[in-house]
Amino acid sequence: MKIILLVDMDAFFASVEQRSNPALRGKPMAVIGSGHRTVITTASYEARAYGVRTGMNVYEARKQCPHLILVVGNNDKYTSTCSVLEGVYRVYTPIVEIYSIDEAFLDITESAHLFGGPLAVGARIKEDIRRMFGINATVGMGPNKLIAKLASDLDKPDGLRWISPDEIQDVLDPLPVKELWGIGKRTTERLETLGIRTCGDLGRAPVSMLRNKFGILGERLKAMGMGLGPSEVHAEEEEVKSVGHSRTLSEDVTTLQEIGQALFQLSEKVGSRMRKYAVTGKTISVVIRYKSFETFSKQSRLGMPTNDTHVIYRNAMSIITAIRLREPVRLLGVSLSDLHDDGEQISIFEEHRRRQRLFTAMDGINDRYGNATLTWGPCVRKSSDSVISPAWRPGGIRKSL
Ligand code: TTP
Ligand code: MG
């Protein structure tokens, strides 16, 4: 049985701001996005006590807490903190997966005993983070990622909790299903129509009933109710398997035109990064997150490997147009996998060669003068860097979506 550890910073952006400005410490404050200044990105725990939440607009938040202090976020501070954190984690195990801007999974199965056991590792990581950055993190541990995430959620903020295999049943039995990572509002409502409210109910539900209602997902849901989940931690040094980029849109969008604009920007980001790394990809995936946070992805295989922005865009668009969108879209992602070395591709067609020269020139200029100095028409309309996507990675290149 593995021991998986999740580190999740407490009120991450807000904590970093409180750290760099002592006047903000101990106060109800919130960070707003630099691009979209009316929405709360995250709130300090002092502000959460008043009911201020991520995603609220400033007016709603001020209604909850009239003396709320607002700070415009500085993404560079958060991403550089994240990059340094990776080094902290590697002291304890080489198997580290930077999962989001403020979360990382560590597989400490083989190394925990060197430091005095899982709880000692967790305590040391918390202490390292406090000493280096002056901020609090919560550490959750369990035999898989689902339970590690649950342990962290249940013990926030400044928590340290290890749910060992023999405790899982007792923890899950009374726990409402919505507390489980990956079970959103819609699934919770659909489970409720089956009379399933707690994880205990879910784990005991007949699989045939769940399969009827949820199809293939039914089995996964039952397993989750029993506390089973993935335990593979994807260490970053493994070979790159996909290149992707995703972005929380500054506003939820509904029209194909708006989606197309965002997809073009993403395709250009992915295409230019692939050209920089001299790779092409043969499978394209599009990730869609609805307003309700329900997230899914669709893939398609390309005729030949590509890193051409327009080819990526056209294929991403045909995936989207084949989907009947049920809700406004909050986040979009594009990635290419099944990667090949670009050198394998010999350009037979002059058009292909001409486009490659164009891309090389554009990428060169952008390398020199900063990203998106030179870009395609559809990318100009909206700034694309004001929001850090939850899928942000230090290297900008990741193994899987
Ligand atoms: P979270 O870990 O979800 O939130 P948090 O660290 O602020 O608070 P806690 O973990 O203690 O509950 O997100 C990490 C950071 O990511 C958060 O500080 C701000 C940013 N973020 C966004 O930019 N947009 C979002 O929709 C969310 C949820 C977070
Ligand atoms: Mg956090």
Side-chain angles (χ1 to χ4, degrees), residues 8-13 41-42 45 48 101-102 156 330:
D8 182 342
M9 304 303 136
D10 298 332
F12 182 45
F13 294 3
T41 309
T42 196
Y45 274 83
R48 291 182 199 194
I101 180 86
D102 83 328
K156 265 190 168 293
R330 176 186 164 82

Side-chain angles (χ1 to χ4, degrees), residues 14-25 77 133 135:
S15 304
V16 171
E17 297 302 336
Q18 285 181 317
R19 187 62 201 168
S20 55
N21 179 358
L24 299 173
R25 291 183 204 162
K77 267 199 250 179
F133 301 103
I135 63 179

Side-chain angles (χ1 to χ4, degrees), residues 60-326:
E60 288 171 294
R62 279 254 157 80
K63 221 184 285 166
Q64 303 290 326
C65 177
H67 52 296
L68 182 70
I69 306 169
L70 297 173
V71 176
V72 176
N74 173 347
N75 292 342
D76 290 346
K77 267 199 250 179
Y78 318 138
T79 50
S80 63
T81 306
C82 178
S83 305
V84 178
L85 281 168
E86 193 175 349
V88 173
Y89 306 145
R90 288 193 180 280
V91 170
Y92 300 97
T93 171
I95 314 171
V96 175
E97 178 180 358
I98 303 296
Y99 187 77
S100 76
I101 180 86
D102 83 328
E103 292 163 296
F105 284 106
L106 280 62
D107 182 337
I108 56 164
T109 316
E110 303 296 330
S111 57
H113 73 276
L114 301 172
F115 302 93
L119 286 168
V121 173
R124 284 179 63 155
I125 289 176
K126 281 166 61 72
E127 185 46 40
D128 290 347
I129 294 173
R130 201 175 296 118
R131 207 180 49 244
M132 291 176 72
F133 301 103
I135 63 179
N136 287 334
T138 294
V139 168
M141 287 170 284
N144 57 53
K145 288 176 168 175
L146 182 78
I147 299 298
K149 174 79 177 158
L150 179 65
S152 152
D153 288 346
L154 292 178
D155 219 31
K156 265 190 168 293
D158 199 16
L160 172 61
R161 178 150 185 199
W162 176 27
I163 302 179
S164 66
D166 39 315
E167 281 173 89
I168 291 178
Q169 200 57 54
D170 287 347
V171 174
L172 289 184
D173 252 342
L175 191 79
V177 287
K178 71 168 172 21
E179 303 290 330
L180 274 189
W181 189 32
I183 300 195
K185 204 165 136 231
R186 207 176 127 78
T187 308
T188 303
E189 286 164 6
R190 292 175 75 194
L191 284 169
E192 185 135 17
T193 64
L194 298 176
I196 297 173
R197 284 184 188 80
T198 65
C199 298
D201 296 340
L202 182 58
R204 283 186 297 269
V207 72
S208 54
M209 177 170 96
L210 294 168
R211 218 186 281 131
N212 270 341
K213 183 97 179 170
F214 296 97
I216 186 113
L217 268 181
E219 270 146 71
R220 180 121 56 90
L221 284 168
K222 183 178 168 77
M224 287 167 73
M226 294 162 70
L228 302 171
S231 62
E232 205 54 51
V233 173
H234 303 286
E236 297 289 327
E237 77 249 337
E238 284 173 32
E239 201 192 340
V240 169
K241 294 215 181 88
S242 80
V243 180
H245 199 82
S246 64
R247 183 159 76 86
T248 301
L249 306 169
S250 49
E251 275 160 22
D252 297 340
V253 299
T254 48
T255 68
L256 266 185
Q257 195 202 346
E258 292 168 307
I259 290 174
Q261 237 177 57
L263 279 185
F264 194 94
Q265 294 174 6
L266 291 166
S267 304
E268 168 62 0
K269 280 221 180 253
V270 172
S272 65
R273 203 179 300 148
M274 292 179 82
R275 296 189 295 272
K276 185 166 166 187
Y277 288 94
V279 290
T280 55
K282 209 172 172 196
T283 300
I284 177 166
S285 311
V286 174
V287 178
I288 294 148
R289 175 171 296 154
Y290 284 142
K291 188 177 171 129
S292 63
F293 270 83
E294 186 183 333
T295 308
F296 58 97
S297 73
K298 293 258 182 281
Q299 300 197 330
S300 80
R301 294 270 296 162
L302 307 176
M304 61 189 286
T306 192
N307 56 19
D308 180 324
T309 298
H310 289 84
V311 176
I312 298 171
Y313 167 70
R314 272 204 306 278
N315 283 281
M317 256 332 245
S318 54
I319 291 178
I320 288 274
T321 44
I323 300 170
R324 224 167 48 92
L325 295 169
R326 272 192 291 100

